[in-house]
Amino acid sequence: MSLSLLEEMNQKASDSGVALAVHMDITWRCNERCVHCYLDHDGKGEMTTDEIKGVLRQLADCGTFFLSISGGEPLLRRDCFEILEYARALRFNVKLKTNAVMIGPKEAERIKKLGIAQVQISLYSHRPEVHDAITKLPGSLRRTINGIKLLKENGVKVSVTNVLMKFNNRDTKAVKQLAQELGVNYVVDPTITPMLSGDRSVVNLGINGKELEEFFRSQDLLEDMAEACLPVSEAVDDDHLDGYSCSAGHTLAYINPFGDVYPCVQFPMPCGSVRRQSFRDIWYESSAFTTLRDIHIRDLHTCSTCSHTTYCSRCPGLAYIQGDMRGPSYQDCEKSYARTGVPSAAMLRNGGQLPVATSAGLVQISRLQ
């Protein structure tokens, strides 16, 4: 089977050890307070404009091509467009993640002129009383939809993400319909990320196992049911076992607003700080990155023997937060079980039940100093 251009780029980047994609949060401050958010919204000590520009130059020098600018709400920074303009001048393919609340006619026009590849926006419900309750910002749905319309009027590619929770699970079909009416791409996500502090309480906001099973069997939400519900396989070839379960730390890196570097925004293993050393030195010489890259699928003490291994969405970052990045991600075990009805290896070792992460096994994450 031939590889797509993106897959080919990613393979070449992996073979060459290039950080092809970088996600950079330029602020954790936000005008919304989403109930499931994993950030603490503290803006004290953020990198300055010059510091961020310096990091962007380093990324360009290292061969990074895909750049996601996010937050918090990035437009809360007065220099947001200055940063975006500088990134585009360095020829990055830039995606902007925003809630669109602050996007008016001028902002939409400027985003178009800058050639931003895509704007990604969260949309939780078609009903204001549900969406606004999740964001805790009255009027946010109206303002977000208005921002989306302005972007579309300017010909900007927009994608909306619908994170599934107990509060909005029954609204997914209507949100997808709204996205179609707006002419934007629709992505549905059933995963709630634990807070970077290690607090997993927000995970309880997610949908339960029965609802997750219904999700994976919804033709209205998952157009390619055959791909979504691939069968499990007892036979796993050596090529797969020699590979990695995720691009985090291999072709992907995350930089927070304070200059700390991690494999991914969902993988808060400290790897260094661009305020103390260059991104190049961190990427190629960090002991944390080296350790991560030495872990192949065959080295995963439970997942390597699991019948779901070939098709599992295992997140090493979620496993790391649980206390063992060589172990399973229990949220992904839950998704695999809901998808197939076949218990994962982690479940079988737990008497057929889904393991539950306890506070004793969690990694407590603190900001690098």
Side-chain angles (χ1 to χ4, degrees), residues 32-278:
E32 295 182 336
R33 286 294 183 271
C34 297
V35 294
H36 63 295
C37 187
Y38 52 83
L39 301 177
D40 62 14
H41 302 303
D42 180 7
K44 186 177 181 181
E46 292 175 351
M47 286 189 289
T48 65
T49 309
D50 287 341
E51 284 181 305
I52 291 176
K53 287 182 176 180
V55 173
L56 293 179
R57 289 194 297 271
Q58 292 178 44
L59 295 179
D61 183 58
C62 286
T64 299
F65 179 66
F66 297 105
L67 179 69
S68 294
I69 297 293
S70 183
E73 173 47 54
L75 291 175
L76 281 178
R77 281 192 65 133
R78 295 182 178 180
D79 59 357
C80 180
F81 279 105
E82 183 179 350
I83 292 169
L84 292 173
E85 184 176 4
Y86 195 79
R88 289 294 295 130
L90 291 172
R91 301 303 180 102
F92 288 111
N93 175 288
V94 178
K95 290 183 180 179
L96 175 66
K97 295 186 177 183
T98 172
N99 56 38
V101 166
M102 298 177 67
I103 292 180
K106 292 182 179 179
E107 289 77 15
E109 183 179 358
R110 194 166 182 186
I111 288 171
K112 169 61 177 177
K113 288 182 177 179
L114 284 173
I116 301 301
Q118 186 180 78
V119 178
Q120 298 177 328
I121 300 166
S122 292
L123 197 60
Y124 302 110
S125 175
H126 63 299
R127 295 182 291 159
E129 63 270 24
V130 176
H131 180 95
D132 294 1
I134 290 173
T135 65
K136 296 184 180 180
L137 179 64
S140 58
L141 177 61
R142 173 183 53 79
R143 295 168 66 181
T144 292
I145 290 178
N146 183 63
I148 292 173
K149 290 179 177 178
L150 289 171
L151 290 168
K152 288 297 297 179
E153 287 173 7
N154 281 273
V156 177
K157 183 178 180 181
V158 177
S159 176
V160 300
T161 299
N162 183 199
V163 179
L164 300 190
M165 289 173 274
K166 296 175 181 177
F167 314 114
N168 67 345
N169 186 38
R170 299 304 173 188
D171 292 352
T172 49
K173 293 179 183 179
V175 174
K176 183 177 181 180
Q177 178 63 37
L178 175 59
Q180 292 174 337
E181 293 172 358
L182 292 170
V184 302
N185 186 45
Y186 173 79
V187 178
V188 60
D189 185 1
T191 302
I192 303 294
T193 302
M195 294 188 70
L196 295 184
S197 64
D199 182 357
R200 290 184 58 85
S201 62
V202 293
V203 175
N204 295 327
L205 300 174
I207 59 177
N208 61 37
K210 182 175 174 27
E211 292 169 328
L212 196 58
E213 184 177 337
E214 292 174 357
F215 162 73
F216 278 112
R217 282 155 180 74
S218 173
Q219 185 75 51
D220 293 325
L221 295 178
L222 297 175
E223 296 177 359
D224 192 341
M225 294 294 290
E227 181 177 350
C229 295
L230 286 166
V232 296
S233 173
E234 297 293 341
V236 181
D237 60 36
D238 286 338
D239 286 344
H240 181 76
L241 290 174
D242 287 335
Y244 309 100
S245 62
C246 180
S247 61
H250 297 278
T251 59
L252 169 68
Y254 165 62
I255 304 174
N256 75 11
F258 319 100
D260 305 326
V261 180
Y262 303 92
C264 172
V265 69
Q266 288 191 159
F267 196 159
M269 178 176 68
C271 296
S273 170
V274 291
R275 280 178 157 166
R276 294 200 290 270
Q277 58 190 132
S278 70

Side-chain angles (χ1 to χ4, degrees), residues 267-294:
F267 196 159
M269 178 176 68
C271 296
S273 170
V274 291
R275 280 178 157 166
R276 294 200 290 270
Q277 58 190 132
S278 70
F279 178 81
R280 178 180 292 276
D281 286 347
I282 295 170
W283 181 253
Y284 289 109
E285 298 178 15
S286 164
S287 60
F289 274 135
T290 299
T291 298
L292 171 62
R293 291 166 190 156
D294 283 341

